[in-house]
Amino acid sequence: MTRKGKNSSNSSKSARSAIDEIELVPTNTGRPKNPVWKHYHQGKETSAGHWQATCKYCNTRWGKGVIYEMENHLASHCLQVPCNILRHYINLVEEKDKEPELGKKRKSNSGIQRKITSSFKKTQMDDLVQEKNITRALVKAFALCGIPWHIIENPFFIDALKQLNPAYNPPSREVFVNRHFETEFTKINKKIHDELQHENNLTLVLDGWSSAKNRSLWNFIILTPERAKLNEMIKERNIEGGGLKTYCKTRWTTVYDSIASVLRLKLILEYINEQHSDLLTNKKIGQIISGRNFFGNLKVLCNILHPIKKAILTLEAQTTTLADCYISLIRLAASIKLLPKNFNANFRQHCLKVMDA
């Protein structure tokens, strides 16, 4: 009996020691935290797997820390973040945008009233690149046209999108603003950082105007040494009309304005090409400027584009009549007829073909 008692006591001790060893082994359950939490103070747990977050650099607080919002904050909004961390998250946001990603399904509403979108089949786009391009185009349209963000969830707007592409499912307002808009914003910041990273002697210019809704708009422009030198020479020679104009594909009249600005600055561009060729960012620009008929060809194009610009402005006016349209076409036809015979025969034939169509 004593022997058995000793054996039983020894076995119970070994069992307890084994249990103690098992309890001492650390266990890691769940997913590891995202590295972005290194830059945030973790607060109280608001829900399963979600905590309050406070930025360590600027003390910005979130009631619930969302990973992509925290990453976008470090990439675009935090003014106190160190430069190396800023660059890291700018690149990270851009890399994530390149990866194909399936949109989250929306929660179904079990209300009595049916939504206008309920008549459409639950389809999914096969081409994720096309889906991302559509969302990116919507972000730009909303931001540049001043469309309220909540319109993205308006059933009539969704109906219009479905008519254009039934397979496209627009994101929710929260995802549309906090993820897609912030991603585009970060990509623009990255482009600016890349262009200015190795520049010196930058000039800050401020410009302001009012929108169609009488809102004040302020534009901060950073001029590189090349652009600053060009503006300085324009002022010295009292050339009216400003500097080079850029083309904007959403405003057709800017084609003429862009070409006309090059002609207006012909003497300055030739001087820079001859005396300050180091200011040219691309050697091909100098070759184009010094081309035999470069400025002559631009002048001919301006003679064609000027009546087109006038026709567009006439059509956009509220008092336009059919007679105004007819007169604009006559002026355009007359300018095409006056094209030099030795000027690009293919272009001349193309213009005539368009007018005859």
Side-chain angles (χ1 to χ4, degrees), residues 195-322:
E195 291 182 357
L196 301 181
Q197 188 174 10
H198 303 291
E199 294 287 351
N200 296 314
N201 302 321
L202 301 175
T203 304
L204 181 63
V205 179
L206 175 62
D207 189 14
W209 65 92
S210 297
S211 67
K213 297 181 180 180
N214 292 325
R215 295 177 179 175
S216 297
L217 301 176
W218 298 96
N219 186 21
F220 293 89
I221 306 171
I222 300 177
L223 298 181
T224 58
E226 298 83 3
R227 195 66 178 263
K229 180 66 176 179
L230 178 63
N231 291 340
E232 180 183 348
M233 296 177 65
I234 292 174
K235 291 181 180 180
E236 290 177 354
R237 304 195 181 195
N238 296 323
I239 297 178
E240 297 180 356
L244 294 172
K245 308 295 182 182
T246 55
Y247 165 68
C248 178
K249 63 180 180 181
T250 58
R251 300 189 65 181
W252 297 343
T253 58
T254 56
V255 179
Y256 169 79
D257 296 334
S258 178
I259 296 178
S261 67
V262 176
L263 283 174
R264 185 173 61 251
L265 302 177
K266 174 185 176 182
L267 296 178
I268 293 179
L269 293 175
E270 290 178 337
Y271 174 78
I272 291 177
N273 187 35
E274 294 175 1
Q275 304 296 331
H276 299 280
S277 59
D278 56 310
L279 296 178
L280 299 177
T281 57
N282 192 334
K283 294 182 179 180
K284 292 183 179 179
I285 296 176
Q287 298 174 1
I288 293 173
I289 292 175
S290 58
R292 182 177 179 183
N293 296 321
F294 173 67
F295 289 102
N297 293 338
L298 289 184
K299 187 175 182 180
V300 174
L301 285 176
C302 275
N303 293 336
I304 297 293
L305 294 174
H306 189 251
I308 294 178
K309 176 184 176 179
K310 283 189 172 181
I312 292 173
L313 296 177
T314 300
L315 292 173
E316 291 178 347
Q318 295 181 351
T319 57
T320 301
T321 62
L322 187 60

